């Protein structure tokens, strides 16, 4: 009996080790997969297949439907009920290499949107598990908010050990029942590159940020859209009520490379991602809100775009922590063929090793019985 146990134990340990390495390597490679740039999708295909990640915590839904508000064609609709279980309904692109990009998109908050006193995140650029989003576009009460988080290379990335630096900007009043055309020109900061963000709404600059804006990880953040209310998580004490479902629409998402400081997209030799958009989108004509004002000291940024000092540390924003699981529940981030092939190879090698060890153990036992 003792001899049988000693031979099975190494086999089991080998299988466990290979499983850990295989799954770990698969997830690590998938999290570093890159989205094609330029990227463009207007949901005219009727699906969200161009977005490689999807996360639904609770019973929210993501669907492609007819665009509301007089806009032609289709749009993606995010619905999140106040049922005590739901707090996130999002889709996302993959990451991009570090550099300068113009992110554009249109979103529509219905006229019956109910104001909420904490953050409702409708768009975010996320740097990875265990960190607050690097850049957030959110709605708080009746105001658009931009929030920026960052850390230097020498600081811990784990939010539980050391909170991120943070600065908040008020981008102006929210107008319901109309399409909002957004543009974010972002140069992602690195240890050697100064970061910057210029936010425009309906063609008018409403805010800017100068200084660090990422966590200086292997790749720059990926872009998520939809709905996320961190304070609706049950463990934070949220209780369901009769508040109507939260609804948000998105359309015409693009990511275009920029030359640093360039006012227009740079020409690039990269191949554009497939675009199923076959519609012309009307531009809103309503007056845009005024210049943004940071909610913290003026050194945090400037709506004029003039270079200023690096933003001050303003502590941790308890409204937008990202302690939810990564976007992998229903996503396709681990479905890249190369990644799957790599992980499968490791698993197959582990199974071969286990079977070979088991065969040797059987032969040894047979030899012992004959003796």
């Amino acid at each position: 009996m003792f001899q049988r146990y000693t031979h099975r134990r190494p086999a089991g340990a080998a299988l466990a080790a290979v499983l850990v390495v295989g799954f770990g390597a698969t997830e690590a490679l998938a999290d570093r997969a890159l989205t094609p740039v330029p990227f463009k999708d207007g949901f005219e295909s009727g699906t969200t297949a161009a977005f490689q990640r999807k996360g639904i915590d609770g019973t929210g839904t993501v669907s492609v439907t007819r665009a509301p508000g007089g806009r032609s064609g289709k749009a993606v609709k995010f619905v999140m009920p106040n049922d005590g279980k739901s707090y996130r309904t999002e889709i996302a692109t993959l990451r991009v290499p570090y550099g300068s990009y113009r992110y554009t998109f249109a979103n529509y908050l219905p006229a019956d949107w109910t104001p909420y006193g904490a953050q409702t995140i409708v768009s975010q650029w996320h740097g990875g598990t265990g960190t607050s989003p690097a850049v957030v576009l959110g709605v708080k009460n009746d105001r658009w908010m931009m929030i920026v988080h960052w850390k230097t290379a020498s600081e811990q990335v784990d939010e539980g050990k050391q909170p991120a630096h943070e600065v908040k900007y008020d981008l102006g009043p929210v107008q319901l029942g109309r399409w909002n055309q957004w543009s974010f020109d972002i140069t992602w900061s690195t240890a050697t590159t100064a970061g910057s963000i210029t936010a425009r709404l309906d063609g008018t600059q409403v805010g800017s940020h100068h200084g660090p804006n990422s966590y200086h990880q292997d790749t720059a953040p990926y872009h998520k859209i939809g709905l996320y209310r961190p304070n609706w998580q049950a463990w934070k004490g949220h209780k369901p009520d009769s508040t109507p479902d939260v609804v948000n629409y998105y359309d015409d998402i693009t990511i275009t490379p920029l030359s640093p400081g360039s006012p227009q997209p740079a020409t690039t030799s990269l191949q554009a991602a497939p675009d199923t958009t076959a519609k012309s989108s009307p531009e809103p004509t309503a007056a845009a809100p005024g210049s943004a004002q940071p909610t913290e000291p003026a050194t945090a940024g400037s709506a004029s775009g003039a270079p200023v000092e690096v933003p001050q540390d303003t502590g941790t924003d308890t409204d937008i922590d990202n302690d939810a699981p990564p976007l992998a529940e229903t996503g396709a981030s681990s479905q890249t063929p190369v990644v799957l092939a790599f992980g499968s190879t490791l698993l197959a090698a582990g199974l071969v090793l286990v079977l070979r060890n088991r065969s040797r153990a059987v032969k040894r036992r047979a030899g012992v019985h004959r003796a």
Side-chain angles (χ1 to χ4, degrees):
M1 179 65 71
F2 176 75
Q3 187 176 18
R4 180 182 303 172
Y5 174 77
T6 57
H7 286 304
R8 286 183 177 177
R9 184 175 172 181
L15 177 59
V18 172
L19 286 173
V20 170
V21 173
F23 287 128
T26 298
E27 179 61 27
L29 286 177
D31 197 45
R32 286 163 177 77
L34 301 178
T35 198
V37 177
F39 174 91
K40 185 176 183 180
D41 188 49
F43 306 104
E44 294 308 299
S45 66
T47 73
T48 60
F51 292 80
Q52 297 297 297
R53 296 178 179 226
K54 181 179 181 181
I56 298 176
D57 291 289
T59 60
T61 60
V62 179
S63 62
V64 176
T65 184
R66 182 177 179 179
R71 192 181 187 91
S72 63
K74 300 175 181 177
V76 61
K77 180 180 182 181
F78 301 89
V79 179
M80 193 167 65
N82 188 4
D83 57 8
K85 303 176 183 178
S86 306
Y87 58 91
R88 177 174 62 172
T89 303
E90 297 179 302
I91 58 176
T93 64
L94 298 177
R95 297 172 183 269
V96 294
Y98 278 103
S100 298
Y101 301 91
R102 173 165 293 167
Y103 299 84
T104 68
F105 51 87
N107 86 308
Y108 178 95
L109 303 181
D112 60 356
W113 173 280
T114 302
Y116 183 61
Q119 288 288 345
T120 301
I121 298 175
V122 298
S123 196
Q124 59 176 303
W125 289 260
H126 208 284
T129 304
T131 60
S132 295
V135 181
V136 165
L137 174 64
V139 180
K140 189 169 186 177
N141 293 315
D142 61 350
R143 309 290 294 183
W144 289 111
M145 301 293 296
M146 181 174 74
I147 305 171
V148 184
H149 294 109
W150 73 93
K151 287 184 177 177
T152 65
S154 62
E155 295 175 313
Q156 294 288 335
V157 174
D158 187 352
E159 288 291 295
K161 296 179 181 179
Q162 182 177 357
H165 303 281
E166 175 190 89
V167 66
K168 303 178 184 179
Y169 301 89
D170 184 345
L171 303 187
V174 173
Q175 298 185 53
L176 303 177
R178 66 184 295 274
W179 282 95
N180 306 284
Q181 184 61 50
W182 291 97
S183 173
F184 285 80
D185 288 358
I186 302 179
T187 295
W188 294 110
S189 65
T190 68
T192 59
T193 302
S196 66
I197 305 171
T198 300
R200 296 182 179 89
L201 176 56
D202 300 333
T204 299
Q205 182 173 318
V206 292
S208 65
H209 169 88
H210 301 275
N213 58 16
S214 78
Y215 294 90
H216 301 179
Q217 296 170 315
D218 291 348
T219 56
Y222 57 89
H223 188 199
K224 297 200 287 185
I225 61 174
L227 291 165
Y228 180 28
R229 282 188 173 173
N231 283 11
W232 271 18
Q233 295 178 75
W235 71 268
K236 294 186 177 181
H238 177 70
K239 303 296 183 182
D241 57 32
S242 58
T243 304
D245 293 351
V246 185
V247 178
N248 184 22
Y249 294 84
Y250 260 87
D251 198 8
D252 292 334
I253 290 86
T254 71
I255 306 175
T256 308
L258 287 173
S259 295
S262 172
Q264 297 297 329
T267 56
T268 176
S269 60
L270 294 175
Q271 294 298 314
D275 175 31
T276 56
T277 302
K279 61 175 179 290
S280 59
S281 303
E283 292 295 333
T285 58
S291 300
Q293 296 296 324
T295 60
E296 305 300 339
T299 53
S302 168
S304 67
V308 294
E309 297 178 14
V310 172
Q312 305 266 335
D313 179 9
T314 60
T316 303
D317 183 355
T318 57
D319 288 341
I320 63 166
D321 58 333
N322 197 64
D323 46 20
L327 285 187
E329 180 178 324
T330 56
S333 62
S334 60
Q335 295 178 7
T336 304
V338 174
V339 173
L340 290 177
F342 181 75
S344 299
T345 300
L346 287 177
L347 294 177
L351 291 175
V352 170
L353 176 63
V354 169
L355 292 175
R356 186 176 64 179
N357 287 342
R358 181 171 296 178
S359 176
R360 290 177 177 175
V362 170
K363 291 180 180 178
R364 292 194 187 96
R365 288 198 297 272
V368 171
H369 292 321
R370 284 195 298 270

mmCIF file of all heavy atoms in Angstrom, residues 250-271:
data_model
loop_
_atom_site.group_PDB
_atom_site.id
_atom_site.type_symbol
_atom_site.label_atom_id
_atom_site.label_comp_id
_atom_site.label_asym_id
_atom_site.label_seq_id
_atom_site.Cartn_x
_atom_site.Cartn_y
_atom_site.Cartn_z
ATOM 1 N N TYR A 250 -24.774 52.927 -26.515
ATOM 2 C CA TYR A 250 -23.495 53.328 -27.103
ATOM 3 C C TYR A 250 -23.523 53.059 -28.599
ATOM 4 O O TYR A 250 -24.187 52.131 -29.072
ATOM 5 C CB TYR A 250 -22.347 52.531 -26.493
ATOM 6 C CG TYR A 250 -21.584 53.267 -25.421
ATOM 7 C CD1 TYR A 250 -21.995 53.241 -24.105
ATOM 8 C CD2 TYR A 250 -20.434 53.991 -25.729
ATOM 9 C CE1 TYR A 250 -21.301 53.908 -23.111
ATOM 10 C CE2 TYR A 250 -19.721 54.663 -24.754
ATOM 11 C CZ TYR A 250 -20.157 54.613 -23.445
ATOM 12 O OH TYR A 250 -19.467 55.290 -22.476
ATOM 13 N N ASP A 251 -22.745 53.871 -29.330
ATOM 14 C CA ASP A 251 -22.647 53.666 -30.769
ATOM 15 C C ASP A 251 -21.321 54.233 -31.276
ATOM 16 O O ASP A 251 -20.725 55.116 -30.640
ATOM 17 C CB ASP A 251 -23.814 54.363 -31.477
ATOM 18 C CG ASP A 251 -24.026 53.855 -32.897
ATOM 19 O OD1 ASP A 251 -23.371 52.865 -33.279
ATOM 20 O OD2 ASP A 251 -24.844 54.453 -33.622
ATOM 21 N N ASP A 252 -20.867 53.717 -32.394
ATOM 22 C CA ASP A 252 -19.712 54.227 -33.141
ATOM 23 C C ASP A 252 -18.473 54.431 -32.267
ATOM 24 O O ASP A 252 -18.023 55.550 -32.032
ATOM 25 C CB ASP A 252 -20.075 55.540 -33.846
ATOM 26 C CG ASP A 252 -21.087 55.312 -34.965
ATOM 27 O OD1 ASP A 252 -21.120 54.184 -35.508
ATOM 28 O OD2 ASP A 252 -21.852 56.237 -35.285
ATOM 29 N N ILE A 253 -17.914 53.322 -31.810
ATOM 30 C CA ILE A 253 -16.695 53.364 -30.992
ATOM 31 C C ILE A 253 -15.486 53.239 -31.907
ATOM 32 O O ILE A 253 -15.435 52.356 -32.775
ATOM 33 C CB ILE A 253 -16.689 52.227 -29.948
ATOM 34 C CG1 ILE A 253 -17.754 52.487 -28.868
ATOM 35 C CG2 ILE A 253 -15.336 52.101 -29.275
ATOM 36 C CD1 ILE A 253 -19.103 51.990 -29.211
ATOM 37 N N THR A 254 -14.515 54.124 -31.742
ATOM 38 C CA THR A 254 -13.294 54.064 -32.548
ATOM 39 C C THR A 254 -12.074 54.251 -31.657
ATOM 40 O O THR A 254 -12.143 54.897 -30.603
ATOM 41 C CB THR A 254 -13.262 55.147 -33.646
ATOM 42 O OG1 THR A 254 -13.061 56.422 -33.048
ATOM 43 C CG2 THR A 254 -14.546 55.157 -34.458
ATOM 44 N N ILE A 255 -10.965 53.692 -32.098
ATOM 45 C CA ILE A 255 -9.648 53.949 -31.494
ATOM 46 C C ILE A 255 -8.695 54.234 -32.643
ATOM 47 O O ILE A 255 -8.514 53.395 -33.532
ATOM 48 C CB ILE A 255 -9.129 52.745 -30.685
ATOM 49 C CG1 ILE A 255 -10.150 52.290 -29.643
ATOM 50 C CG2 ILE A 255 -7.799 53.097 -30.008
ATOM 51 C CD1 ILE A 255 -9.731 51.034 -28.893
ATOM 52 N N THR A 256 -8.099 55.422 -32.638
ATOM 53 C CA THR A 256 -7.235 55.852 -33.733
ATOM 54 C C THR A 256 -5.893 56.309 -33.180
ATOM 55 O O THR A 256 -5.850 57.080 -32.218
ATOM 56 C CB THR A 256 -7.863 57.023 -34.504
ATOM 57 O OG1 THR A 256 -9.203 56.671 -34.872
ATOM 58 C CG2 THR A 256 -7.062 57.347 -35.749
ATOM 59 N N PRO A 257 -4.773 55.863 -33.767
ATOM 60 C CA PRO A 257 -3.457 56.330 -33.303
ATOM 61 C C PRO A 257 -3.287 57.824 -33.558
ATOM 62 O O PRO A 257 -3.759 58.355 -34.559
ATOM 63 C CB PRO A 257 -2.463 55.518 -34.135
ATOM 64 C CG PRO A 257 -3.239 54.377 -34.690
ATOM 65 C CD PRO A 257 -4.642 54.859 -34.841
ATOM 66 N N LEU A 258 -2.612 58.488 -32.647
ATOM 67 C CA LEU A 258 -2.308 59.902 -32.788
ATOM 68 C C LEU A 258 -0.814 60.126 -32.640
ATOM 69 O O LEU A 258 -0.140 59.398 -31.905
ATOM 70 C CB LEU A 258 -3.003 60.732 -31.697
ATOM 71 C CG LEU A 258 -4.506 60.954 -31.773
ATOM 72 C CD1 LEU A 258 -4.976 61.637 -30.502
ATOM 73 C CD2 LEU A 258 -4.858 61.807 -32.981
ATOM 74 N N SER A 259 -0.301 61.133 -33.338
ATOM 75 C CA SER A 259 1.029 61.618 -33.020
ATOM 76 C C SER A 259 0.899 62.504 -31.790
ATOM 77 O O SER A 259 -0.038 63.296 -31.700
ATOM 78 C CB SER A 259 1.607 62.445 -34.179
ATOM 79 O OG SER A 259 1.794 61.633 -35.315
ATOM 80 N N PRO A 260 1.788 62.372 -30.803
ATOM 81 C CA PRO A 260 1.671 63.179 -29.582
ATOM 82 C C PRO A 260 1.503 64.661 -29.909
ATOM 83 O O PRO A 260 2.273 65.237 -30.664
ATOM 84 C CB PRO A 260 2.990 62.913 -28.859
ATOM 85 C CG PRO A 260 3.401 61.564 -29.348
ATOM 86 C CD PRO A 260 2.956 61.501 -30.783
ATOM 87 N N GLY A 261 0.447 65.258 -29.373
ATOM 88 C CA GLY A 261 0.202 66.678 -29.579
ATOM 89 C C GLY A 261 -0.520 67.005 -30.864
ATOM 90 O O GLY A 261 -0.822 68.162 -31.137
ATOM 91 N N SER A 262 -0.788 65.988 -31.691
ATOM 92 C CA SER A 262 -1.441 66.242 -32.971
ATOM 93 C C SER A 262 -2.930 66.466 -32.781
ATOM 94 O O SER A 262 -3.588 65.728 -32.058
ATOM 95 C CB SER A 262 -1.225 65.053 -33.916
ATOM 96 O OG SER A 262 -2.004 65.194 -35.082
ATOM 97 N N PRO A 263 -3.524 67.468 -33.448
ATOM 98 C CA PRO A 263 -4.957 67.700 -33.307
ATOM 99 C C PRO A 263 -5.795 66.751 -34.140
ATOM 100 O O PRO A 263 -6.985 66.660 -33.953
ATOM 101 C CB PRO A 263 -5.129 69.143 -33.796
ATOM 102 C CG PRO A 263 -4.021 69.326 -34.799
ATOM 103 C CD PRO A 263 -2.863 68.512 -34.259
ATOM 104 N N GLN A 264 -5.177 66.051 -35.092
ATOM 105 C CA GLN A 264 -5.907 65.143 -35.955
ATOM 106 C C GLN A 264 -5.259 63.763 -35.921
ATOM 107 O O GLN A 264 -4.069 63.626 -35.644
ATOM 108 C CB GLN A 264 -5.914 65.666 -37.399
ATOM 109 C CG GLN A 264 -6.619 67.004 -37.560
ATOM 110 C CD GLN A 264 -8.082 66.914 -37.216
ATOM 111 O OE1 GLN A 264 -8.706 65.876 -37.409
ATOM 112 N NE2 GLN A 264 -8.649 67.997 -36.717
ATOM 113 N N PRO A 265 -6.038 62.708 -36.220
ATOM 114 C CA PRO A 265 -5.468 61.368 -36.240
ATOM 115 C C PRO A 265 -4.288 61.266 -37.197
ATOM 116 O O PRO A 265 -4.304 61.840 -38.285
ATOM 117 C CB PRO A 265 -6.643 60.493 -36.707
ATOM 118 C CG PRO A 265 -7.863 61.275 -36.329
ATOM 119 C CD PRO A 265 -7.471 62.714 -36.488
ATOM 120 N N ALA A 266 -3.265 60.526 -36.765
ATOM 121 C CA ALA A 266 -2.084 60.354 -37.600
ATOM 122 C C ALA A 266 -2.311 59.256 -38.624
ATOM 123 O O ALA A 266 -3.086 58.332 -38.408
ATOM 124 C CB ALA A 266 -0.882 60.005 -36.721
ATOM 125 N N THR A 267 -1.628 59.366 -39.758
ATOM 126 C CA THR A 267 -1.699 58.294 -40.739
ATOM 127 C C THR A 267 -0.929 57.110 -40.194
ATOM 128 O O THR A 267 0.049 57.249 -39.480
ATOM 129 C CB THR A 267 -1.082 58.731 -42.072
ATOM 130 O OG1 THR A 267 0.263 59.159 -41.838
ATOM 131 C CG2 THR A 267 -1.885 59.877 -42.663
ATOM 132 N N THR A 268 -1.373 55.907 -40.520
ATOM 133 C CA THR A 268 -0.744 54.700 -39.986
ATOM 134 C C THR A 268 -0.793 53.604 -41.022
ATOM 135 O O THR A 268 -1.691 53.551 -41.849
ATOM 136 C CB THR A 268 -1.456 54.243 -38.704
ATOM 137 O OG1 THR A 268 -0.882 53.004 -38.265
ATOM 138 C CG2 THR A 268 -2.938 54.019 -38.924
ATOM 139 N N SER A 269 0.178 52.711 -40.961
ATOM 140 C CA SER A 269 0.218 51.588 -41.886
ATOM 141 C C SER A 269 -0.510 50.373 -41.334
ATOM 142 O O SER A 269 -0.620 49.356 -41.994
ATOM 143 C CB SER A 269 1.685 51.210 -42.178
ATOM 144 O OG SER A 269 2.340 50.848 -40.972
ATOM 145 N N LEU A 270 -1.023 50.485 -40.096
ATOM 146 C CA LEU A 270 -1.736 49.371 -39.512
ATOM 147 C C LEU A 270 -3.028 49.125 -40.271
ATOM 148 O O LEU A 270 -3.664 50.048 -40.766
ATOM 149 C CB LEU A 270 -2.048 49.652 -38.036
ATOM 150 C CG LEU A 270 -0.843 49.749 -37.103
ATOM 151 C CD1 LEU A 270 -1.313 50.148 -35.707
ATOM 152 C CD2 LEU A 270 -0.107 48.425 -37.049
ATOM 153 N N GLN A 271 -3.409 47.877 -40.328
ATOM 154 C CA GLN A 271 -4.649 47.521 -41.005
ATOM 155 C C GLN A 271 -5.826 47.795 -40.087
ATOM 156 O O GLN A 271 -5.817 47.423 -38.923
ATOM 157 C CB GLN A 271 -4.629 46.035 -41.400
ATOM 158 C CG GLN A 271 -3.571 45.711 -42.452
ATOM 159 C CD GLN A 271 -3.825 46.463 -43.751
ATOM 160 O OE1 GLN A 271 -4.949 46.511 -44.231
ATOM 161 N NE2 GLN A 271 -2.780 47.020 -44.324
#
